[in-house]
Amino acid sequence: GQNIDQPTEMTATEGAIVQINCTYQTSGFNGLFWYQQHAGEAPTFLSYNVLDGLEEKGRFSSFLSRSKGYSYLLLKELQMKDSASYLCAVRSNDYKLSFGAGTTVTVRA
Amino acid sequence: DVKVTQSSRYLVKRTGEKVFLECVQDMDHENMFWYRQDPGLGLRLIYFSYDVKMKEKGDIPEGYSVSREKKERFSLILESASTNQTSMYLCASTSFLGADIEQYFGPGTRLTVT
């Protein structure tokens, strides 16, 4: 089975940086995904890590340490539109995704 | 532009009714998935399918069945709807091919069972 943990809520100020941590214990690992989900909408893909290290994509970066079962999503230069839920998901060898409960990020002016 | 569509955004059904949720993707993806999303629980996998006429149980299949008669269409069936099946239902698809690694989600169907 899969066990994926991430904080429930985080609050930050516009222009600041926020780091969302995700720890996982899984039987089989074939990549870690981060998705963004605005209220009432479908999740949209942000990033994918399968090897250790940092992947940077504009204001968003994602880090993975497979030996520690740990990832984080870094959001820089926060904007009001970044207020959303951020989902950590681990893919197992059969292409199934297991999701954490999500972290709700609130950006304040 | 890739697209996953679901037959309804909002649906209200009565306890005991048979409910069909339809999902269609236009990306020729092999894999299709049905999730339900509830506050504090995240997305939980109900069923998935690797190919036409193939289906595999996910983490919470009880009370649900699925049908995949065509590659582009994956249906979720609630044989006898119950109030604890009130939820947001999300369909997703993905490919086996390495370059296309993400799961694409449909807009979701918010089902209320009264």
Side-chain angles (χ1 to χ4, degrees), chain B residues 20-89:
Chain B
F20 292 87
L21 302 182
E22 304 285 339
C23 175
V24 178
Q25 51 95 2
D26 65 0
M27 296 163 282
D28 201 35
H29 283 167
E30 299 85 2
N31 307 322
M32 296 187 74
F33 306 81
W34 275 107
Y35 298 90
R36 63 177 284 177
Q37 186 174 30
D38 301 287
L41 297 176
L43 276 79
R44 293 179 292 167
L45 181 64
I46 304 171
Y47 267 97
F48 61 105
S49 170
Y50 288 133
D51 202 348
V52 177
K53 297 193 185 295
M54 293 183 67
K55 59 184 179 183
E56 297 283 343
K57 291 180 180 179
D59 300 318
I60 51 164
E62 296 78 20
Y64 304 94
S65 62
V66 290
S67 172
R68 187 134 182 235
E69 295 297 318
K70 294 184 177 181
K71 190 175 185 180
E72 67 271 18
R73 187 179 299 269
F74 192 35
S75 303
L76 180 69
I77 303 154
L78 287 66
E79 294 290 341
S80 178
S82 62
T83 55
N84 63 13
Q85 292 179 309
T86 292
S87 186
M88 170 68 86
Y89 289 87

Side-chain angles (χ1 to χ4, degrees), chain A residues 1-12:
Chain A
Q2 321 285 44
N3 187 26
I4 301 165
D5 290 314
Q6 52 182 127
T8 305
E9 293 179 332
M10 301 183 75
T11 301

Side-chain angles (χ1 to χ4, degrees), chain A residues 33 35 37 42 45 94 96, chain B residues 37 48 50 101-103 106:
Chain A
F33 293 76
Y35 280 82
Q37 186 178 26
F45 170 78
D94 57 2
K96 288 167 57 179
Chain B
Q37 186 174 30
F48 61 105
Y50 288 133
I101 47 86
E102 67 174 281
Q103 280 197 9

Side-chain angles (χ1 to χ4, degrees), chain A residues 19-71:
Chain A
Q19 177 174 315
I20 306 169
N21 295 325
C22 173
T23 58
Y24 63 91
Q25 294 174 306
T26 61
S27 54
F29 179 84
N30 193 18
L32 187 141
F33 293 76
W34 285 96
Y35 280 82
Q36 179 190 60
Q37 186 178 26
H38 285 100
E41 298 181 10
T44 54
F45 170 78
L46 286 179
S47 69
Y48 169 70
N49 295 70
V50 66
L51 299 177
D52 290 351
L54 188 68
E55 295 281 342
E56 297 187 83
K57 191 186 287 187
R59 293 189 298 113
F60 294 179
S61 304
S62 57
F63 171 83
L64 175 67
S65 169
R66 289 171 296 170
S67 62
K68 295 182 179 177
Y70 169 70
S71 172

